[in-house]
Amino acid sequence: MEIVVLLKQVPATESLIEIADDGVSIKSDDIKWVINPYDEFAVEEALRIKEAHEGSVSILSVGSEKTVEAIRTALAMGADKGILVNVPDGDVYDGLTTARILSAVLKETPFDMIIAGQRAVDDDNFQVGPATAEFLNIPHISMVIKQEIANGKIKCHRTVEGGTAILETPLPVLFTTQRGINEPRYASLPGIMKAKKKPIDMKTITDIGLDPATVGKPLTKIVSLKTPPERKGGIMIEGDSAQAKAVKIVKILHEEAKVL
Amino acid sequence: MDFDLTKEQEMIRREVRKFAQSEIAPVASELDEKEEFSAEVTRKMGEIGLFGMFVSEKYDGQDMDYLSYIIAVEEIARVDGSQAATVAAGNSLGIGPIYYFGTEEQKKKYLPKLCSGEGLWGFGLTEPTAGSDAGGSKTTAVKDGNEWVLNGSKIFITNAACELSMGVTVQAVTGTRPSGKPEYTCFLVEHGTPGFKAVPMHKKMMWRASDTAELYFDDVKIPENNILGLPGDGFHQMLATLDGGRLSIAAMGLGGSQGAYEAALKYAKNRVQFGQPICKFQAVAFKLADCALEIECARNLLYKACWLKDHQRSFEKEAAMAKLYCSELMGRVANHAVQIHGGYGLMKEYNVERFYRDQKLLDIGEGTSEVQRIVISRYIGC
């Protein structure tokens, strides 16, 4: 089973995000970078599939040279090799452009399965996985919380509003991982040492047959970034008993919040 | 000059920190309260590779440099002193002597199990009447045919009386040198050897989730090939072990300082008194500034000592300095942390009181602060 994981390096969720002076990007000086948490599920799932069915796990990423660190972490977890499409630091691509770059690499890479996080936690676009599958003309299943592989087919449980849907498709497939699918392992210390010796193939946009001039021009453009509004204070419900308070809460939820 | 860690060292810090936060932090307080050693946590620490970090792959070690090991201990200590003690003692005192001085046969026999975290090994030096004065040891070994007969006792021995304990390295008097001083030899004594008893010690103030033992040797017969390295090398082996061990105690002081400081800083930013977060008051802000400053100094000193060791340069003076400075620093930082937390700092719900207690060992274990000052003063020619 040849498995490719699409991986993005994103700011650590505990980083303090500040908007840069240009108003359309974030200040990146003091940010710690990590593997996108949903992609970490994808790496873990790929390793589990490899352990059960043999084969190899490749990590594919688009990013600047600092992305090597995220790829090395995945290699330390147990992946076998990495491919980085090295683009200038600061270049921002929309989901479709990223998918175009990834699919250009994947057209030259043998795979039975591609796994990606359902979205990246930095831009929350949800697009790269499905768009890559479209460019490759293979089926895709998103938000997967469980998978079973047998006889060249994969059966996936995916979350839907209020329940779970089960879908089946022949391989090759691209699926995206949802929280709950697994608990990612730590990169063990021996794993970190082994990762030093694992290969990372560095490619440029030109290497993969695309034109840097057109790739650098995404179809969508960030017009401005804003921080979320500060939270308003809560409402304290006064009352003599729990029952009296519950009655008031229900009334507020029904009449003011209009959620009941 | 290069102050950057390697990519691997950075990754080790990140992964060990993640591990400590998700696997140790949730249970640290409870294990401390119950004064309970957890074999499960130790095995997990073994699984990610925290034992045998500086041991070659040949014996199932991780083949890393000493600084990587020190960073790992620092990150565990940032969350919990007890587990850091299990790791530091397991590596520096348990694995170290066998790896550095053992015969090939001894290394092959013991190291793979110790490096996996399935087994722990103690280091028997301190005796009831021989602490800083290690020359006052009364445990003796007398040769009898092809065997040695061991009699005596040891005290405060980490990792020697829990379900994972496999044995201990014991220093015993085996004769008199031409100078009139006692001659020491180290013996590898396996658990289960008749006459050897290890008893866990309880009612500790600190490191309550680490295993501490009293050892008794009553006519314990040890085969000749269980001598560590060569007969008569015991004193030198012990001193060399303690030099390396000092770096790991320093790492515990540094990590503990970091943990207590982070807790204090977070609390001071959130705790509001007189209408503003208390970190805005100079009395509190200056305490935190001092902590940040001294932690930076401590880290540079300790990492330099490790760098010297990793480059096969002499590091003994710097190791003593780092051990002394990092240990005492944690005392100052934990004290500030409790003070900044006010009344809450005295309660177990806030972890700073555990850091405050755990620190005290660092001034005492593996060479007291006073002994470190003696070592340093000798190096500067006093």
Side-chain angles (χ1 to χ4, degrees):
Chain A
M1 192 79 65
E2 299 300 316
I3 310 164
V4 179
V5 175
L6 309 183
L7 181 143
K8 184 177 187 183
Q9 191 184 38
V10 298
T13 39
E14 71 266 19
S15 300
L16 182 68
I17 302 293
E18 285 181 280
I19 296 168
D21 295 339
D22 65 5
V24 294
S25 63
I26 58 167
K27 289 184 187 168
S28 57
D29 302 348
D30 294 329
I31 285 179
K32 285 209 164 142
W33 298 85
V34 297
I35 299 177
N36 172 39
Y38 290 103
D39 296 346
E40 227 171 14
F41 297 132
V43 174
E44 176 63 36
E45 202 61 16
L47 295 174
R48 290 185 189 191
I49 293 170
K50 175 189 149 181
E51 281 154 11
H53 301 270
E54 306 209 328
S56 77
V57 175
S58 303
I59 305 296
L60 172 57
S61 192
V62 179
S64 69
E65 256 167 52
K66 71 177 186 310
T67 311
V68 166
E69 209 180 304
I71 296 176
R72 284 261 178 245
T73 306
L75 297 179
M77 287 170 74
D80 301 283
K81 56 177 187 275
I83 305 168
L84 174 64
V85 181
N86 192 355
V87 297
D89 201 8
D91 273 20
V92 180
Y93 300 125
D94 61 359
L96 208 57
T97 308
T98 305
R100 194 143 25 102
I101 297 169
L102 292 170
S103 56
V105 178
L106 287 161
K107 277 173 186 162
E108 308 299 323
T109 311
F111 63 84
D112 300 298
M113 191 179 298
I114 301 168
I115 315 178
Q118 46 122 322
R119 66 188 158 99
V121 297
D122 54 353
D123 55 20
D124 277 334
N125 260 331
F126 292 83
Q127 287 181 359
V128 171
T132 304
E134 285 301 308
F135 281 129
L136 294 171
N137 204 20
I138 58 169
H140 104 266
I141 303 173
S142 57
M143 312 282 256
V144 172
I145 50 166
K146 189 182 166 190
Q147 53 74 25
E148 297 150 60
I149 300 162
N151 309 321
K153 285 182 180 173
I154 187 167
K155 201 187 270 183
C156 291
H157 297 233
R158 79 183 288 266
T159 49
V160 290
E161 185 82 39
T164 306
I166 300 171
L167 294 92
E168 190 180 66
T169 171
L171 300 177
V173 67
L174 182 149
F175 73 88
T176 67
T177 45
Q178 166 66 316
R179 191 176 296 282
I181 188 168
N182 58 43
E183 194 61 50
R185 69 195 67 190
Y186 307 99
S188 73
L189 305 189
I192 291 172
M193 296 309 275
K194 280 186 201 135
K196 261 166 100 169
K197 294 168 199 151
K198 292 179 180 173
I200 297 181
D201 189 3
M202 304 279 269
K203 293 174 187 290
T204 62
I205 295 288
T206 321
D207 290 343
I208 59 171
L210 296 178
D211 179 1
T214 51
V215 162
K217 290 198 183 93
L219 295 176
T220 57
K221 191 170 115 189
I222 296 173
V223 181
S224 78
L225 288 179
K226 286 195 179 78
T227 48
E230 291 223 359
R231 268 190 208 182
K232 290 182 201 153
I235 307 167
M236 288 300 292
I237 311 283
E238 305 290 341
D240 297 333
S241 65
Q243 271 176 330
K245 288 181 189 177
V247 169
K248 281 190 187 169
I249 292 175
V250 171
K251 191 165 185 261
I252 290 169
L253 290 175
H254 184 63
E255 291 172 8
E256 292 177 28
K258 294 190 169 50
V259 291
L260 289 183
Chain B
M1 228 180 159
D2 184 1
F3 281 101
D4 280 330
L5 297 176
T6 65
K7 290 269 176 286
E8 285 73 34
Q9 287 160 346
E10 294 277 10
M11 212 187 282
I12 288 162
R13 182 189 297 287
R14 207 173 54 230
E15 292 302 313
V16 176
R17 178 172 294 198
K18 231 176 5 182
F19 171 84
Q21 262 161 353
S22 41
E23 303 291 337
I24 298 176
V27 295
S29 186
E30 192 188 336
L31 293 173
D32 172 75
E33 178 71 17
K34 290 185 180 163
E35 202 175 17
E36 189 179 297
F37 170 86
S38 166
E40 190 196 337
V41 172
T42 305
R43 284 199 193 96
K44 281 185 189 167
M45 295 197 292
E47 274 165 27
I48 72 154
L50 286 168
F51 293 96
M53 289 182 68
F54 51 78
V55 172
S56 117
E57 277 177 32
K58 193 175 161 193
Y59 310 108
D60 293 356
Q62 272 66 269
D63 224 346
M64 293 175 166
D65 58 10
Y66 212 79
L67 180 53
S68 295
Y69 159 54
I70 288 305
I71 290 170
V73 174
E74 179 191 338
E75 286 303 324
I76 304 285
R78 180 177 161 272
V79 167
D80 182 32
S82 290
Q83 303 309 327
T86 304
V87 171
N91 282 291
S92 296
L93 306 182
I95 291 169
I98 300 176
Y99 181 54
Y100 292 121
F101 310 116
T103 62
E104 190 60 26
E105 189 195 339
Q106 290 163 350
K107 291 187 210 182
K108 280 193 177 137
K109 184 173 179 190
Y110 298 117
L111 290 178
K113 264 203 174 152
L114 299 179
C115 290
S116 72
E118 284 165 56
L120 291 170
W121 198 270
F123 176 78
L125 175 61
T126 301
E127 297 188 7
T129 56
S132 294
D133 180 14
S137 302
K138 292 203 175 78
T139 300
T140 58
V142 177
K143 195 162 183 188
D144 179 17
N146 287 333
E147 291 177 330
W148 290 77
V149 182
L150 201 60
N151 277 291
S153 67
K154 299 282 176 183
I155 195 167
F156 307 130
I157 311 304
T158 306
N159 289 343
C162 64
E163 57 189 285
L164 302 179
S165 304
M166 286 170 56
V168 282
T169 303
V170 180
Q171 181 186 267
V173 179
T174 46
T176 312
R177 289 186 173 281
S179 64
K181 286 185 176 170
E183 177 199 79
Y184 295 99
T185 301
C186 289
F187 295 89
L188 302 175
V189 183
E190 292 181 16
H191 271 255
T193 310
F196 169 39
K197 200 166 79 173
V199 182
M201 296 175 76
H202 289 300
K203 299 190 180 173
K204 288 187 290 180
M205 177 177 91
M206 40 17 82
W207 286 12
R208 287 167 57 83
S210 99
D211 172 51
T212 309
E214 269 182 286
L215 312 177
Y216 300 95
F217 306 93
D218 187 11
D219 282 333
V220 180
K221 294 190 173 61
I222 312 291
E224 178 88 19
N225 56 10
N226 270 34
I227 286 180
L228 179 69
L230 297 172
D233 268 2
F235 196 65
H236 154 75
Q237 291 168 348
M238 287 287 165
L239 285 185
T241 300
L242 289 176
D243 280 332
R246 276 175 194 149
L247 296 173
S248 62
I249 294 281
M252 297 182 63
L254 175 61
S257 299
Q258 182 73 35
Y261 158 73
E262 285 176 20
L265 181 62
K266 187 177 166 202
Y267 184 84
K269 282 180 175 174
N270 290 316
R271 170 73 170 173
V272 174
Q273 290 286 275
F274 305 103
Q276 62 177 353
I278 59 171
C279 71
K280 298 291 175 200
F281 293 106
Q282 234 173 35
V284 172
F286 280 15
K287 283 189 179 74
L288 290 164
D290 284 344
C291 292
L293 160 70
E294 287 204 84
I295 289 169
E296 190 72 24
C297 295
R299 186 169 286 120
N300 282 330
L301 177 58
L302 173 57
Y303 287 10
K304 183 188 169 188
C306 295
W307 182 88
L308 289 169
K309 181 171 163 62
D310 280 330
H311 287 78
Q312 286 81 46
R313 306 255 289 266
S314 68
F315 68 99
E316 294 76 7
K317 180 183 75 180
E318 287 76 7
M321 287 177 163
K323 194 273 182 186
L324 174 62
Y325 190 74
C326 294
S327 302
E328 295 195 344
L329 170 61
M330 187 182 168
R332 294 191 288 277
V333 176
N335 187 36
H336 283 331
V338 171
Q339 189 69 21
I340 288 169
H341 278 72
Y344 295 107
L346 304 171
M347 308 304 290
K348 288 202 185 296
E349 191 187 340
Y350 288 81
N351 288 323
V352 287
E353 69 85 31
R354 179 159 50 83
F355 283 72
Y356 187 86
R357 284 184 287 112
D358 279 346
Q359 181 274 332
K360 195 58 208 167
L361 182 130
L362 305 180
D363 294 338
I364 297 170
E366 288 193 49
T368 61
S369 289
E370 291 75 13
V371 165
Q372 305 308 323
R373 288 188 166 86
I374 290 175
V375 172
I376 297 165
S377 63
R378 284 186 185 152
Y379 273 104
I380 61 173
C382 294

